[in-house]
């Protein structure tokens, strides 16, 4: 009795695939891959042919007659070539030529309208320029006055140094019980004697001032001025010191006072009224006028700096106003904006509130 042998087949395989050799199967897979790559290359070629350069689009005979979407004509004046993809012109030269023709056609009318109808902003700008010019003249006169005070102060200091020294006036200037009075220092808060309070406060201020720095990347260059900023270059921070030169405790130290140097401070009456008298005490012993030359010079220099800052602010304001006035009547503003004059008999287009 013969035995029946059952052969189980996979449902996804055909009879021919079962009989193929594994080498033949691998060869068939490679052939399919090659066909797939050929199809990809053909698709890329078709895409490149659609986006041709401008030189090829300009030749009508090279265009495909079967193309159902014809290109539009360039908007340039007198141009007969088709447009570039995504543009209204065949080249940049055609676009610039059309823009120039529009400017020549529209701009003269806009300029005539600008001249016929007054502009409120233009009138306000002229008034602001007049005000700025007056303030600039006042500031320049103030700077000249401060420069005069600067030279007068130097002359007073020179006269004071030429005075004779009187050691007998030390007792009358000190006062009776001034050695017992105490005052607190405004910098460190410690109590100190009234006689040496000014010296102590000045040294404390210099000590704390050296801990902070005021610098800039560029040195000061102001024409016609002398002795304003320290401008000492620091190689570590790579900046120039911007303290007042007479008050900079970091880069300028007070010279040693000799024994025979007079104080020379000009004396005043009723706080503000100057007299022709000077302090004849030795400078190292005078506690009432400690560092008076440095403080007077710093006061004058500070006023000069404030005047220069005011003049710089006025120059910036003038530049802004002039720039706004130039842009208001510029090419772009005249081409983009237009004022419609409904009444030809009225030249003033400003709205007036009925009284």
């Amino acid at each position: 009795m013969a035995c029946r042998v059952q052969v189980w087949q996979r449902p996804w395989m055909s009879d021919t695939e079962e009989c193929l050799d594994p080498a033949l199967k691998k060869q068939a897979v490679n052939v399919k891959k090659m066909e797939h790559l050929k199809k990809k290359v053909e698709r890329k070629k078709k895409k490149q042919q659609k986006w041709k350069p401008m030189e090829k689009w300009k030749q009508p005979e090279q265009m495909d007659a079967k193309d159902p979407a014809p290109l539009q004509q360039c908007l340039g004046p007198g141009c007969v070539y088709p447009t570039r993809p995504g543009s209204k012109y065949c080249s940049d030269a055609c676009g610039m030529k059309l823009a120039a023709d529009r400017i020549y056609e529209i701009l003269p009318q806009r300029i005539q309208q600008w001249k016929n109808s007054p502009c409120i902003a233009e009138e306000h700008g002229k008034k602001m320029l007049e005000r700025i010019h007056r303030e600039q003249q006042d500031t320049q006169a103030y700077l000249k006055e401060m420069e005069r005070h600067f030279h007068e102060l130097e002359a007073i200091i020179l006269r004071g140094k030429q005075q004779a020294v009187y050691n007998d006036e030390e007792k009358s200037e000190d006062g009776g019980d001034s050695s017992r009075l105490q005052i607190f220092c405004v910098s460190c808060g410690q109590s100190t004697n009234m006689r040496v309070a000014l010296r102590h406060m000045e040294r404390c201020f210099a000590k704390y001032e050296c801990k902070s720095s005021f610098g800039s990347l560029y040195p000061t260059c102001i024409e016609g001025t002398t002795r304003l900023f320290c401008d000492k270059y620091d190689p570590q921070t790579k900046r120039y010191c911007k303290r007042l030169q007479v008050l900079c405790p970091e880069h300028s130290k007070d010279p040693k006072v000799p024994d025979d140097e007079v104080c020379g401070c000009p004396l005043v009456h009723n706080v503000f009224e100057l007299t022709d008298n000077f302090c004849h005490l030795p400078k190292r012993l005078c506690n009432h006028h400690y560092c008076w030359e440095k403080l007077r010079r710093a006061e004058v220099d500070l006023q000069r700096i404030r005047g220069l800052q005011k003049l710089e602010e006025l120059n910036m304001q003038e530049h802004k106003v002039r720039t706004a006035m130039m842009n208001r009547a510029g090419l772009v503003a005249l081409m983009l904006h237009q004022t419609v004059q409904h009444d030809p008999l009225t030249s003033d287009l400003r709205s007036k509130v009925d009284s």
Side-chain angles (χ1 to χ4, degrees):
M1 192 173 177
C3 295
R4 298 178 64 185
V5 179
Q6 293 182 357
V7 179
W8 296 91
Q9 297 181 356
R10 296 178 182 177
W12 60 85
M13 296 179 60
S14 60
D15 297 337
T16 57
E17 289 180 350
E18 290 181 353
C19 300
L20 291 176
D21 189 57
L24 296 176
K25 288 182 182 180
K26 188 174 182 181
Q27 186 176 2
V29 171
N30 292 335
V31 170
K32 288 182 180 179
K33 288 183 178 179
M34 292 297 294
E35 292 178 355
H36 185 62
L37 290 175
K38 288 181 180 179
K39 290 181 180 179
K40 279 188 175 182
V41 172
E42 290 177 357
R43 290 173 189 166
K44 289 183 179 179
K45 288 182 178 179
K46 289 181 179 180
K47 289 182 179 180
Q48 291 177 359
Q49 289 177 0
K50 288 182 180 180
W51 299 98
K52 291 182 179 179
M54 188 58 216
E55 289 76 8
K56 295 183 178 180
W57 285 108
K58 285 187 177 181
Q59 303 297 333
E61 59 272 6
Q62 294 182 3
M63 295 176 61
D64 190 3
K66 297 180 180 180
D67 191 7
L71 296 175
Q72 297 180 357
Q73 185 177 350
C74 177
L75 296 180
C79 184
V80 295
Y81 294 112
T83 60
R84 291 180 294 185
S87 176
K88 297 181 181 180
Y89 310 99
C90 65
S91 62
D92 295 338
C94 286
M96 297 294 291
K97 188 176 180 181
L98 181 61
D101 291 348
R102 286 176 177 171
I103 291 174
Y104 295 147
E105 183 68 23
I106 301 174
L107 188 59
Q109 300 177 3
R110 298 291 175 85
I111 294 176
Q112 188 66 27
Q113 291 177 359
W114 173 264
K115 291 181 179 179
N116 293 336
S117 59
C119 180
I120 301 178
E122 193 76 11
E123 295 179 2
H124 288 338
K126 292 179 180 179
K127 292 180 180 179
M128 289 181 65
L129 285 178
E130 292 177 359
R131 179 185 59 81
I132 291 173
H133 289 162
R134 289 195 301 268
E135 292 184 1
Q136 286 177 345
Q137 292 176 0
D138 296 341
T139 307
Q140 290 175 356
Y142 176 77
L143 287 174
K144 291 181 180 179
E145 185 70 16
M146 289 298 104
E147 197 73 19
R148 187 178 63 83
H149 284 317
F150 168 76
H151 294 291
E152 288 180 356
L153 178 61
E154 295 299 324
I156 291 173
I157 293 174
L158 184 60
R159 283 182 58 193
K161 289 183 178 180
Q162 296 175 357
Q163 303 297 320
V165 180
Y166 295 158
N167 293 323
D168 298 338
E169 295 184 3
E170 184 177 358
K171 296 180 181 180
S172 61
E173 291 286 340
D174 288 342
D177 299 333
S178 60
S179 59
R180 300 179 182 180
L181 298 177
Q182 300 287 325
I183 191 173
F184 291 97
C185 177
V186 295
S187 298
C188 64
Q190 297 180 359
S191 61
T192 180
N193 193 353
M194 280 286 295
R195 293 184 58 186
V196 295
L198 290 176
R199 296 177 182 271
H200 176 82
M201 290 181 183
E202 185 67 23
R203 291 173 183 174
C204 280
F205 172 76
K207 185 189 302 182
Y208 288 106
E209 187 72 11
C210 290
K211 296 180 181 180
S212 60
S213 61
F214 303 91
S216 175
L217 295 175
Y218 306 100
T220 305
C221 183
I222 303 175
E223 297 181 359
T225 57
T226 54
R227 199 199 67 199
L228 278 180
F229 296 100
C230 177
D231 279 333
K232 183 71 175 180
Y233 182 72
D234 189 0
Q236 295 182 355
T237 60
K238 297 181 180 180
R239 281 171 170 77
Y240 295 90
C241 180
K242 291 303 172 185
R243 293 190 185 95
L244 287 178
Q245 184 178 1
V246 294
L247 289 181
C248 183
E250 188 176 0
H251 304 112
S252 61
K253 296 182 179 180
D254 296 335
K256 187 176 181 180
V257 180
D259 297 340
D260 57 346
E261 185 175 352
V262 68
C263 175
C265 178
L267 301 178
V268 295
H269 177 68
N270 293 332
V271 182
F272 298 107
E273 297 177 5
L274 291 175
T275 60
D276 294 335
N277 297 326
F278 293 89
C279 179
H280 295 276
L281 286 175
K283 191 172 185 179
R284 63 182 182 84
L285 298 178
C286 183
N287 296 319
H288 295 279
H289 311 122
Y290 181 71
C291 292
W292 71 271
E293 304 102 325
K294 182 170 69 173
L295 297 178
R296 294 282 184 88
R297 286 170 175 167
E299 182 181 0
V300 175
D301 292 349
L302 187 59
Q303 292 176 355
R304 293 162 64 201
I305 290 175
R306 288 174 179 173
L308 292 171
Q309 290 178 349
K310 180 66 175 178
L311 189 62
E312 184 179 1
E313 292 176 0
L314 292 174
N315 292 334
M316 293 178 63
Q317 292 178 9
E318 183 184 6
H319 176 69
K320 290 181 180 179
V321 174
R322 289 190 180 278
T323 303
M325 294 175 67
M326 291 175 61
N327 294 336
R328 193 176 296 118
L331 174 62
V332 179
L334 291 177
M335 293 294 292
L336 294 178
H337 308 292
Q338 182 182 9
T339 302
V340 179
Q341 187 173 355
H342 299 283
D343 189 0
L345 301 178
T346 305
S347 60
D348 192 353
L349 303 180
R350 292 176 290 183
S351 59
K352 299 179 180 179
V353 181
D354 296 333
S355 57

